[in-house]
Amino acid sequence: MRKHIGFNKPYLTGKETHYIYNAVSTGKLSGNGQYTKKCQNFFQDRYNFKKCLLTTSCTDALEMASILIDVQKGDEIIMPSYTFVSTANAFVLRGAKIVFADSYIDHPNIDPLAIEKLITERTKAIVVVHYAGVACDMDLIMEIAERHNLFVIEDAAQAIESFYKGRPLGGIGHLAAFSFHETKNIISGEGGMLVINDDRFVERSEIIWEKGTNRSAFFRGEIDKYGWVDIGSSFLPSELIAAFLWAQLENLDDIQSKRKNIWDKYYEQLSNSSISSFDLPFIPEYATNNAHMFYLLFSNIGNRNDTIKSLNQSNINAVFHYLSLHKSKFYEAKHDGRELPNCDFFASGLLRLPLYYELEEVSYITESIAKSV
Ligand SMILES: Cc1ncc(COP(=O)(O)O)c(C=O)c1O
């Protein structure tokens, strides 16, 4: 019997424990030390982001964004329903009403044409999710937002090293949130980052990050004592997390090239086969592929689930993804009742294949798919 092929296997570059040891031996274990700064500077320099703050998760970065745009009870936030629960939860925590928009018919990303008719006087922001690291159509979305005076927040959890018309994802909206959870391309166990692209949020972001205090300004010598000046929380990760992340960032190019090779192999082998029972991922011309995910799209849940079962029998762990948030136990009664058929289609038809740095069994997986459908 073949060895089990997991859906994900966290990749270690080999330097993680070295940098963690180094952080420990300097005696600076809490946040905002040398590794935090190295990581933040890396992103600011590589992608020309205005300001980056490491967080303990993408969920936390989204919660910071929600505080920063000053969400009030009853404010409406437009976002796709086909997304992770944190995209919505971050705003619900502050009293917002979530207005779910449908996805494109051929891609899980939010359809800009679905957005405009959902805008009301209470709308405060549009949250976009770059699903599988593939860009939403940001020119259209930014134009709608500007016309209606709305904030745009990019949920870039899966979107590291991916671009829209040459511009890095995470650098287009007013704010953006990345994830370094162990299932992402670049990892630190749990981890994330808030990107601030709008000057108005720069100063306050540091305060919210540091439990509502102006501690960062104090440590830079800008003020002579620090105190409680705003709401906030403990959003910053320890230096141990940042040290781990630094080892990953040093190898970003290698990790990306390896993942892209695997993705291309999947695409080539599956598009050359005569199987017609599913569609392959679609990448619009304006977007790049960061090889975060390889998925198949089945036209119905039965065929999708049968394929998952059959791959499991071949010792391959393939998985589905999000369930529609507008139909979730928590939000169904709060949703306005509109049908979101494209979102439901991805919830029932999408299947994700294993994709990680050390994956060597792409041919075995594609052969197993051919046998199973
Ligand atoms: C689109 C999206 N947003 C947010 C998150 C939350 O990320 P984290 O686990 O870093 O909080 C995820 C997690 O996978 C995600 O897929």
Side-chain angles (χ1 to χ4, degrees), residues 20-204:
I20 289 173
Y21 181 84
N22 194 21
V24 170
S25 61
T26 63
K28 167 71 178 161
L29 304 182
S30 60
N32 204 9
Q34 59 154 332
Y35 283 107
T36 299
K37 289 184 180 118
K38 267 163 113 68
C39 293
Q40 291 174 173
N41 289 338
F42 174 92
F43 290 110
Q44 284 163 196
D45 295 345
R46 185 173 178 107
Y47 302 120
N48 215 10
F49 292 155
K50 181 161 288 180
K51 185 176 180 68
C52 296
L53 292 173
L54 291 192
T55 56
T56 47
S57 62
C58 180
T59 301
D60 268 359
L62 288 163
E63 286 175 25
M64 284 184 73
S66 181
I67 295 173
L68 275 169
I69 65 165
D70 203 21
V71 170
Q72 301 291 320
K73 195 169 172 9
D75 284 348
E76 294 175 5
I77 312 287
I78 298 173
M79 65 178 66
S81 176
Y82 192 73
T83 184
F84 193 66
V85 63
S86 298
T87 318
N89 217 1
F91 299 89
V92 170
L93 275 170
R94 311 219 64 76
K97 175 172 184 259
I98 307 300
V99 180
F100 290 113
D102 211 355
S103 303
Y104 286 113
I105 198 160
D106 57 356
H107 195 281
N109 280 350
I110 194 166
D111 180 353
L113 291 179
I115 293 176
E116 192 136 18
K117 40 186 182 269
L118 300 175
I119 296 173
T120 71
E121 277 180 2
R122 297 305 309 260
T123 308
K124 182 133 207 179
I126 303 166
V127 183
V128 300
V129 179
H130 304 298
Y131 187 76
V134 173
C136 295
D137 196 341
M138 293 308 290
D139 279 349
L140 283 181
I141 290 161
M142 295 307 289
E143 188 272 320
I144 294 170
E146 240 164 72
R147 216 159 3 91
H148 294 274
N149 200 20
L150 306 175
F151 294 116
V152 174
I153 295 158
E154 297 176 70
D155 182 337
Q158 307 166 7
I160 184 114
E161 192 67 13
S162 204
F163 299 83
Y164 171 77
K165 299 184 181 173
R167 296 156 70 193
L169 299 187
I172 304 170
H174 300 87
L175 297 160
F178 284 89
S179 175
F180 307 121
H181 181 265
E182 70 165 34
T183 49
K184 303 300 185 291
N185 294 26
I186 297 296
I187 62 174
S188 59
E190 303 278 351
M193 179 172 72
L194 178 73
V195 178
I196 301 106
N197 297 312
D198 185 310
D199 280 328
R200 286 173 290 178
F201 299 126
V202 167
E203 197 182 327
R204 192 167 176 233

Side-chain angles (χ1 to χ4, degrees), residues 227-248:
W228 189 14
V229 294
D230 201 338
I231 60 166
S233 191
S234 185
F235 287 119
L236 72 173
S238 86
E239 275 290 284
L240 307 186
I241 301 283
F244 190 112
L245 184 64
W246 179 245
Q248 296 268 314

